[in-house]
Amino acid sequence: MNLNIATKLAKALTALILLSCLAIFVLYLIQRYGAQYAEHKIQEQLEHSGLTSFVHYESIHFDPFTLTPSLENVRFGADSWPWLRFARISLNQYPIKYPDLDMDFWIQESPIASVSGDTRRWMRAAGIETLLGKGSFSSKAEGEKVLSQFKLDIKDVGEISLSSNINLLDQTINLPELRSDLLASFALGQPEAMLIMYGKAIELRSLDMTYQDAGLIHHLFPQPAILQESKQSQLDYLTFRSQALGLAAVDSKEAKQIASAIWAFLNKPEKLTLSLSPSSPINLKALALSASEERLYKDSNMTITND
């Protein structure tokens, strides 16, 4: 009797070990070939967008449980002196819900001497010696509508949140290619290329951007310097800047509204919110025309609030 029980236990234990080994082997195969497939698709997209020489990464990790890849030790820009260093970029949905995108990223702690000259100048202007942060980006297509959200939190600088709702009027536009073109245009310092390529094909339905200060404003605009000038002279300067940016003519009520909101934020820098909600969707070319005619604030039904 005892011998039969021992035999059965031995068989059960052997079966359990074999099943465990099989499960580990299957997970290994999923991880290995999943990583190879992900790397192939990522390289294909980088080559197609012309970003191969700008994006470098050490390895790709593929999670066999969630079927999602992560790029490890990513560098944007020159390999030795990159614009940005990322500890990890995780694609939370790829490639299951193509062409939707959902990703998180972590900016690697980067001393000022380890990044490119452009990033160094930005860091010095912001008053930081080490760059560290995290963020996320998601984009979902619903017919011709595309909903996107972007968040970026940089230590000692602040947190930016941006959400957009656009229409893609040209159904032949490939959403991953659009994202690649956007990244390439900024990487090459030519954001105006997006206007040339997609000026009439993209309509803006709404745009919301929020900035939560974490020290940047006090560094750029110290209170003693602000108090040296009268409130009216500061408001006058801000109205001129509104016109220079194409938001509103310097003598308009819209320019005065903009100046008042910005002045209040600079004197008590907590949270600033900018929203565009045109009465009907407006394409990028029309927005650029409004800016050139100093009507962007009014035509886009823009609001700027200091919370």
Side-chain angles (χ1 to χ4, degrees):
M1 184 72 174
N2 291 335
L3 181 62
N4 289 335
I5 294 175
T7 302
K8 291 179 180 180
L9 286 175
K11 289 181 178 179
L13 183 60
T14 302
L16 180 61
I17 293 173
L18 290 174
L19 288 173
S20 298
C21 291
L22 179 61
I24 292 172
F25 181 66
V26 170
L27 289 175
Y28 166 76
L29 291 178
I30 293 174
Q31 186 176 44
R32 178 180 177 181
Y33 291 106
Q36 290 179 356
Y37 172 76
E39 183 162 19
H40 170 72
K41 299 302 291 184
I42 289 170
Q43 282 295 327
E44 186 179 78
Q45 195 64 40
L46 290 175
E47 290 172 4
H48 182 77
S49 59
L51 290 172
T52 305
S53 60
F54 291 95
V55 181
H56 315 273
Y57 56 89
E58 187 175 291
S59 62
I60 290 180
H61 171 76
F62 191 82
D63 190 324
F65 298 101
T66 61
L67 303 180
T68 55
S70 297
L71 286 77
E72 309 287 335
N73 293 324
V74 186
R75 300 170 301 284
F76 280 11
D79 195 16
S80 55
W81 302 100
W83 295 320
L84 285 174
R85 296 176 184 270
F86 295 89
R88 170 177 284 198
I89 299 177
S90 296
L91 304 174
N92 300 324
Q93 292 182 339
Y94 181 88
I96 303 303
K97 296 185 178 180
Y98 181 91
D100 295 347
L101 181 63
D102 183 4
M103 60 183 285
D104 297 308
F105 56 87
W106 292 264
I107 299 175
Q108 191 174 59
E109 188 170 1
S110 306
I112 195 169
S114 68
V115 294
S116 70
D118 290 339
T119 306
R120 290 182 202 178
R121 284 188 287 274
W122 178 86
M123 290 174 66
R124 289 193 184 101
I128 57 176
E129 293 295 322
T130 301
L131 184 62
L132 179 65
K134 62 181 179 179
S136 64
F137 175 75
S138 64
S139 182
K140 183 178 181 180
E142 298 178 353
E144 67 173 16
K145 184 191 301 183
V146 180
L147 304 172
S148 302
Q149 289 189 327
F150 172 76
K151 292 184 178 181
L152 176 62
D153 186 0
I154 298 180
K155 183 182 178 183
D156 299 327
V157 173
E159 181 178 346
I160 294 176
S161 300
L162 188 148
S163 62
S164 66
N165 185 344
I166 64 172
N167 289 337
L168 293 182
L169 302 182
D170 186 348
Q171 295 303 307
T172 64
I173 292 178
N174 181 282
L175 192 52
E177 289 184 7
L178 171 62
R179 298 181 188 124
S180 296
D181 288 340
L182 179 62
L183 181 59
S185 66
F186 280 94
L188 297 171
Q190 300 172 342
E192 66 278 4
M194 291 296 293
L195 183 62
I196 297 173
M197 293 187 290
Y198 300 105
K200 292 184 177 180
I202 296 178
E203 284 184 340
L204 178 70
R205 297 171 63 91
S206 66
L207 176 70
D208 296 288
M209 183 175 69
T210 299
Y211 170 68
Q212 184 77 47
D213 183 58
L216 177 64
I217 301 304
H218 279 309
H219 174 77
L220 295 177
F221 306 98
Q223 285 299 307
I226 292 179
L227 294 174
Q228 287 179 1
E229 296 187 27
S230 68
K231 177 180 178 180
Q232 189 56 52
S233 64
Q234 294 174 39
L235 289 172
D236 290 342
Y237 172 77
L238 291 171
T239 57
F240 277 109
R241 293 303 302 164
S242 299
Q243 178 172 283
L245 293 172
L247 298 178
V250 68
D251 57 349
S252 66
K253 66 176 183 179
E254 289 82 10
K256 291 180 174 61
Q257 292 171 355
I258 296 169
S260 295
I262 300 298
W263 184 88
F265 174 70
L266 294 178
N267 281 269
K268 189 179 180 182
E270 294 180 356
K271 186 168 73 172
L272 185 71
T273 301
L274 181 149
S275 299
L276 282 72
S277 53
S279 55
S280 60
I282 182 170
N283 65 42
L284 298 184
K285 189 173 182 180
L287 286 172
L289 178 62
S290 293
S292 68
E293 297 177 350
E294 301 166 358
R295 299 197 325 262
L296 181 58
Y297 186 88
K298 184 176 182 180
D299 290 354
S300 65
N301 196 23
M302 184 186 299
T303 59
I304 301 176
T305 57
N306 172 46
D307 299 325

